[in-house]
Structures are given as structure tokens and as C-alpha cells.
Amino acid sequence: MGSANDNKPFENIVYTWLGTDTGHTKLRTHDGAPATFRADAGSCSIRFSSIWLLFVTGVGMLIHIYSTGTWRMKAAYYRFFGYLNLFMFSMLTLILANNYVLMFVGWEGVGSVRIC
């Protein structure tokens, strides 16, 4: 039997990346308070994202192992693995993002990495 906080996400906020915490915005909430915008750089993990973490890191590990033998004698060996690790970082950012802005950064990182 599970505990009471099985369905709560684990969130780790590192810092506020984008924000309007000064209170000088002209937008107001329904009760009249100044509306704030915050995009925190951090990670959020739930059960579904944990499954995707295992899948992406497992497949990424297999690609790294296979590619070591394939790219051993090629001139672009270091560049290939640099781009592959950048792709893995972008995929993990996409999975663990705790807001839509950071998820967009991960999405664009995945789409912009050209490995070959």
C-alpha cells in the first residue's frame, strides 16, 4: 500500500530564470493584485516522467555503446559524441522541465542538434 504523497510531484527549483517579481506589471488578477510571471529553472518528476527517464537514458546508453565501435576510426569522433551528449541533455531537459518555457528550450534543443 502506498503512502499519502504517492501522487505528488517531486519538484526542485534551482533559480528564477524569467520573472516579474517587482510588482510593476500593469496586469491584474481577478482580485486586483498585480499579476506576476515566473519561469523557474528546475526539474519536476512524476511517475510518468520517471518511466521516460529510464527509457531515454537506456536507449541513449545503447546508442553511446554502439557508436563507440562505429565511430572509432572516424575523424569526427569527438564532434559526434559532443553533439550526441548535447542531444541527450536536451532530451532530459524536455522530460524534466517544470514549466512550459523550459520545456520549449528542451524541445528546440532536441530539434536543433544535427548529429551527422
Side-chain angles (χ1 to χ4, degrees):
M1 197 113 213
S3 65
N5 34 338
D6 278 343
N7 294 327
K8 291 184 180 178
F10 173 74
E11 187 170 15
N12 181 20
I13 297 173
V14 180
Y15 62 90
T16 300
W17 182 38
L18 298 171
T20 59
D21 291 337
T22 59
H24 299 297
T25 59
K26 296 178 182 166
L27 300 173
R28 301 281 179 191
T29 61
H30 59 79
D31 61 350
T36 59
F37 170 75
R38 285 183 61 181
D40 298 322
S43 63
C44 181
S45 178
I46 57 175
R47 288 182 186 172
F48 187 66
S49 64
S50 300
I51 292 169
W52 275 106
L53 274 175
L54 290 173
F55 178 73
V56 166
T57 54
V59 170
M61 180 189 67
L62 292 175
I63 292 170
H64 275 81
I65 291 171
Y66 175 75
S67 298
T68 348
T70 306
W71 283 83
R72 184 172 300 152
M73 296 299 180
K74 306 280 192 220
Y77 180 81
Y78 297 108
R79 184 179 56 179
F80 173 78
F81 279 102
Y83 285 146
L84 186 59
N85 288 326
L86 182 63
F87 178 78
M88 289 297 298
F89 175 77
S90 298
M91 281 294 290
L92 295 176
T93 301
L94 178 61
I95 293 170
L96 290 175
N98 65 339
N99 57 45
Y100 289 122
V101 176
L102 197 57
M103 189 168 65
F104 179 73
V105 169
W107 182 267
E108 288 298 315
V110 167
S112 66
V113 175
R114 305 278 187 239
I115 292 182
C116 292

